[in-house]
mmCIF file of all heavy atoms in Angstrom:
data_model
loop_
_atom_site.group_PDB
_atom_site.id
_atom_site.type_symbol
_atom_site.label_atom_id
_atom_site.label_comp_id
_atom_site.label_asym_id
_atom_site.label_seq_id
_atom_site.Cartn_x
_atom_site.Cartn_y
_atom_site.Cartn_z
ATOM 1 N N ALA A 161 113.849 88.794 90.591
ATOM 2 C CA ALA A 161 113.690 88.793 89.138
ATOM 3 C C ALA A 161 112.469 89.656 88.817
ATOM 4 O O ALA A 161 111.592 89.839 89.669
ATOM 5 C CB ALA A 161 113.469 87.366 88.644
ATOM 6 N N PRO A 162 112.377 90.203 87.615
ATOM 7 C CA PRO A 162 111.159 90.932 87.254
ATOM 8 C C PRO A 162 109.942 90.017 87.367
ATOM 9 O O PRO A 162 110.018 88.827 87.064
ATOM 10 C CB PRO A 162 111.408 91.339 85.798
ATOM 11 C CG PRO A 162 112.890 91.344 85.658
ATOM 12 C CD PRO A 162 113.381 90.232 86.543
ATOM 13 N N GLY A 163 108.829 90.572 87.831
ATOM 14 C CA GLY A 163 107.611 89.786 87.959
ATOM 15 C C GLY A 163 106.745 90.253 89.107
ATOM 16 O O GLY A 163 106.970 91.316 89.686
ATOM 17 N N SER A 164 105.767 89.418 89.435
ATOM 18 C CA SER A 164 104.803 89.741 90.486
ATOM 19 C C SER A 164 105.146 88.999 91.767
ATOM 20 O O SER A 164 105.525 87.819 91.741
ATOM 21 C CB SER A 164 103.390 89.348 90.046
ATOM 22 O OG SER A 164 103.013 90.103 88.916
ATOM 23 N N TYR A 165 104.955 89.703 92.867
ATOM 24 C CA TYR A 165 105.254 89.168 94.188
ATOM 25 C C TYR A 165 104.095 89.488 95.124
ATOM 26 O O TYR A 165 103.294 90.380 94.859
ATOM 27 C CB TYR A 165 106.551 89.792 94.734
ATOM 28 C CG TYR A 165 107.771 89.390 93.942
ATOM 29 C CD1 TYR A 165 108.110 90.056 92.773
ATOM 30 C CD2 TYR A 165 108.562 88.328 94.356
ATOM 31 C CE1 TYR A 165 109.213 89.671 92.023
ATOM 32 C CE2 TYR A 165 109.676 87.939 93.614
ATOM 33 C CZ TYR A 165 109.997 88.611 92.454
ATOM 34 O OH TYR A 165 111.092 88.225 91.723
ATOM 35 N N GLY A 166 104.047 88.767 96.221
ATOM 36 C CA GLY A 166 103.021 89.026 97.220
ATOM 37 C C GLY A 166 103.593 88.874 98.614
ATOM 38 O O GLY A 166 104.684 88.315 98.803
ATOM 39 N N MET A 167 102.844 89.398 99.582
ATOM 40 C CA MET A 167 103.204 89.253 100.987
ATOM 41 C C MET A 167 101.934 88.942 101.770
ATOM 42 O O MET A 167 100.872 89.512 101.504
ATOM 43 C CB MET A 167 103.861 90.524 101.520
ATOM 44 C CG MET A 167 105.202 90.823 100.881
ATOM 45 S SD MET A 167 106.021 92.298 101.539
ATOM 46 C CE MET A 167 104.958 93.600 100.920
ATOM 47 N N ILE A 168 102.070 88.052 102.747
ATOM 48 C CA ILE A 168 100.958 87.647 103.600
ATOM 49 C C ILE A 168 101.452 87.584 105.035
ATOM 50 O O ILE A 168 102.610 87.236 105.282
ATOM 51 C CB ILE A 168 100.441 86.239 103.206
ATOM 52 C CG1 ILE A 168 100.027 86.181 101.739
ATOM 53 C CG2 ILE A 168 99.291 85.801 104.105
ATOM 54 C CD1 ILE A 168 99.702 84.774 101.252
ATOM 55 N N CYS A 169 100.563 87.876 105.983
ATOM 56 C CA CYS A 169 100.848 87.661 107.400
ATOM 57 C C CYS A 169 99.836 86.645 107.933
ATOM 58 O O CYS A 169 98.634 86.875 107.870
ATOM 59 C CB CYS A 169 100.760 88.966 108.191
ATOM 60 S SG CYS A 169 101.093 88.734 109.958
ATOM 61 N N PHE A 170 100.340 85.528 108.459
ATOM 62 C CA PHE A 170 99.496 84.482 109.030
ATOM 63 C C PHE A 170 99.513 84.480 110.558
ATOM 64 O O PHE A 170 98.939 83.593 111.191
ATOM 65 C CB PHE A 170 99.948 83.098 108.544
ATOM 66 C CG PHE A 170 99.664 82.812 107.095
ATOM 67 C CD1 PHE A 170 100.697 82.752 106.173
ATOM 68 C CD2 PHE A 170 98.374 82.594 106.651
ATOM 69 C CE1 PHE A 170 100.448 82.472 104.832
ATOM 70 C CE2 PHE A 170 98.106 82.318 105.317
ATOM 71 C CZ PHE A 170 99.146 82.255 104.409
ATOM 72 N N VAL A 171 100.176 85.457 111.192
ATOM 73 C CA VAL A 171 100.243 85.498 112.660
ATOM 74 C C VAL A 171 98.820 85.648 113.214
ATOM 75 O O VAL A 171 98.034 86.448 112.704
ATOM 76 C CB VAL A 171 101.142 86.663 113.131
ATOM 77 C CG1 VAL A 171 101.071 86.861 114.638
ATOM 78 C CG2 VAL A 171 102.587 86.421 112.695
ATOM 79 N N PRO A 172 98.479 84.886 114.260
ATOM 80 C CA PRO A 172 97.149 85.023 114.865
ATOM 81 C C PRO A 172 96.978 86.385 115.537
ATOM 82 O O PRO A 172 97.885 86.886 116.198
ATOM 83 C CB PRO A 172 97.095 83.905 115.906
ATOM 84 C CG PRO A 172 98.184 82.963 115.529
ATOM 85 C CD PRO A 172 99.237 83.787 114.844
ATOM 86 N N ASP A 173 95.810 86.976 115.359
ATOM 87 C CA ASP A 173 95.510 88.282 115.929
ATOM 88 C C ASP A 173 95.379 88.191 117.445
ATOM 89 O O ASP A 173 94.780 87.247 117.975
ATOM 90 C CB ASP A 173 94.213 88.818 115.322
ATOM 91 C CG ASP A 173 94.001 90.270 115.657
ATOM 92 O OD1 ASP A 173 94.712 91.113 115.082
ATOM 93 O OD2 ASP A 173 93.135 90.560 116.515
ATOM 94 N N ALA A 174 95.923 89.167 118.153
ATOM 95 C CA ALA A 174 95.859 89.189 119.619
ATOM 96 C C ALA A 174 94.438 89.384 120.131
ATOM 97 O O ALA A 174 94.117 88.989 121.245
ATOM 98 C CB ALA A 174 96.766 90.294 120.156
ATOM 99 N N LYS A 175 93.567 89.977 119.317
ATOM 100 C CA LYS A 175 92.197 90.262 119.769
ATOM 101 C C LYS A 175 91.229 89.120 119.486
ATOM 102 O O LYS A 175 90.417 88.772 120.331
ATOM 103 C CB LYS A 175 91.690 91.546 119.110
ATOM 104 C CG LYS A 175 92.495 92.760 119.497
ATOM 105 C CD LYS A 175 92.066 93.976 118.707
ATOM 106 C CE LYS A 175 93.021 95.118 118.974
ATOM 107 N NZ LYS A 175 92.874 96.193 118.003
ATOM 108 N N ASP A 176 91.277 88.543 118.274
ATOM 109 C CA ASP A 176 90.267 87.535 117.928
ATOM 110 C C ASP A 176 90.849 86.175 117.540
ATOM 111 O O ASP A 176 90.108 85.241 117.256
ATOM 112 C CB ASP A 176 89.351 88.038 116.817
ATOM 113 C CG ASP A 176 90.072 88.305 115.510
ATOM 114 O OD1 ASP A 176 91.196 87.813 115.309
ATOM 115 O OD2 ASP A 176 89.497 89.022 114.663
ATOM 116 N N GLY A 177 92.178 86.041 117.504
ATOM 117 C CA GLY A 177 92.800 84.766 117.210
ATOM 118 C C GLY A 177 92.838 84.379 115.741
ATOM 119 O O GLY A 177 93.470 83.396 115.379
ATOM 120 N N GLN A 178 92.176 85.153 114.867
ATOM 121 C CA GLN A 178 92.215 84.850 113.436
ATOM 122 C C GLN A 178 93.562 85.284 112.857
ATOM 123 O O GLN A 178 94.145 86.262 113.296
ATOM 124 C CB GLN A 178 91.108 85.601 112.705
ATOM 125 C CG GLN A 178 89.716 85.137 113.032
ATOM 126 C CD GLN A 178 88.694 85.816 112.134
ATOM 127 O OE1 GLN A 178 88.987 86.179 110.998
ATOM 128 N NE2 GLN A 178 87.497 85.995 112.644
ATOM 129 N N ALA A 179 94.017 84.547 111.859
ATOM 130 C CA ALA A 179 95.256 84.942 111.184
ATOM 131 C C ALA A 179 95.082 86.330 110.593
ATOM 132 O O ALA A 179 93.990 86.688 110.144
ATOM 133 C CB ALA A 179 95.593 83.937 110.088
ATOM 134 N N HIS A 180 96.141 87.127 110.592
ATOM 135 C CA HIS A 180 96.060 88.497 110.079
ATOM 136 C C HIS A 180 95.626 88.563 108.619
ATOM 137 O O HIS A 180 95.081 89.574 108.184
ATOM 138 C CB HIS A 180 97.381 89.230 110.292
ATOM 139 C CG HIS A 180 97.638 89.532 111.732
ATOM 140 N ND1 HIS A 180 98.898 89.652 112.254
ATOM 141 C CD2 HIS A 180 96.784 89.730 112.770
ATOM 142 C CE1 HIS A 180 98.817 89.910 113.544
ATOM 143 N NE2 HIS A 180 97.544 89.947 113.883
ATOM 144 N N VAL A 181 95.831 87.482 107.861
ATOM 145 C CA VAL A 181 95.338 87.452 106.487
ATOM 146 C C VAL A 181 93.816 87.633 106.475
ATOM 147 O O VAL A 181 93.267 88.216 105.544
ATOM 148 C CB VAL A 181 95.786 86.160 105.761
ATOM 149 C CG1 VAL A 181 95.148 84.923 106.375
ATOM 150 C CG2 VAL A 181 95.514 86.242 104.283
ATOM 151 N N ALA A 182 93.115 87.166 107.521
ATOM 152 C CA ALA A 182 91.657 87.354 107.612
ATOM 153 C C ALA A 182 91.303 88.821 107.836
ATOM 154 O O ALA A 182 90.173 89.237 107.575
ATOM 155 C CB ALA A 182 91.077 86.496 108.742
ATOM 156 N N HIS A 183 92.269 89.609 108.292
ATOM 157 C CA HIS A 183 92.096 91.059 108.460
ATOM 158 C C HIS A 183 92.665 91.796 107.250
ATOM 159 O O HIS A 183 92.960 92.986 107.317
ATOM 160 C CB HIS A 183 92.790 91.525 109.746
ATOM 161 C CG HIS A 183 92.145 90.985 110.985
ATOM 162 N ND1 HIS A 183 91.081 91.600 111.587
ATOM 163 C CD2 HIS A 183 92.413 89.876 111.722
ATOM 164 C CE1 HIS A 183 90.720 90.898 112.654
ATOM 165 N NE2 HIS A 183 91.512 89.842 112.746
ATOM 166 N N VAL A 184 92.855 91.072 106.164
ATOM 167 C CA VAL A 184 93.334 91.566 104.872
ATOM 168 C C VAL A 184 94.761 92.107 104.943
ATOM 169 O O VAL A 184 95.103 93.079 104.278
ATOM 170 C CB VAL A 184 92.351 92.600 104.268
ATOM 171 C CG1 VAL A 184 92.598 92.762 102.773
ATOM 172 C CG2 VAL A 184 90.899 92.203 104.480
ATOM 173 N N MET A 185 95.619 91.434 105.728
ATOM 174 C CA MET A 185 97.038 91.792 105.719
ATOM 175 C C MET A 185 97.707 90.980 104.617
ATOM 176 O O MET A 185 98.401 89.994 104.843
ATOM 177 C CB MET A 185 97.700 91.564 107.072
ATOM 178 C CG MET A 185 99.076 92.205 107.141
ATOM 179 S SD MET A 185 99.688 92.355 108.810
ATOM 180 C CE MET A 185 101.281 93.135 108.478
ATOM 181 N N VAL A 186 97.424 91.430 103.396
ATOM 182 C CA VAL A 186 97.877 90.801 102.153
ATOM 183 C C VAL A 186 98.184 91.926 101.181
ATOM 184 O O VAL A 186 97.457 92.917 101.137
ATOM 185 C CB VAL A 186 96.745 89.928 101.552
ATOM 186 C CG1 VAL A 186 97.157 89.359 100.215
ATOM 187 C CG2 VAL A 186 96.331 88.843 102.508
#
Side-chain angles (χ1 to χ4, degrees):
S164 297
Y165 294 83
M167 294 182 291
I168 303 172
C169 179
F170 289 109
V171 172
D173 192 73
K175 297 173 188 165
D176 63 18
Q178 292 187 29
H180 290 152
V181 66
H183 293 274
V184 198
M185 192 164 180
V186 176

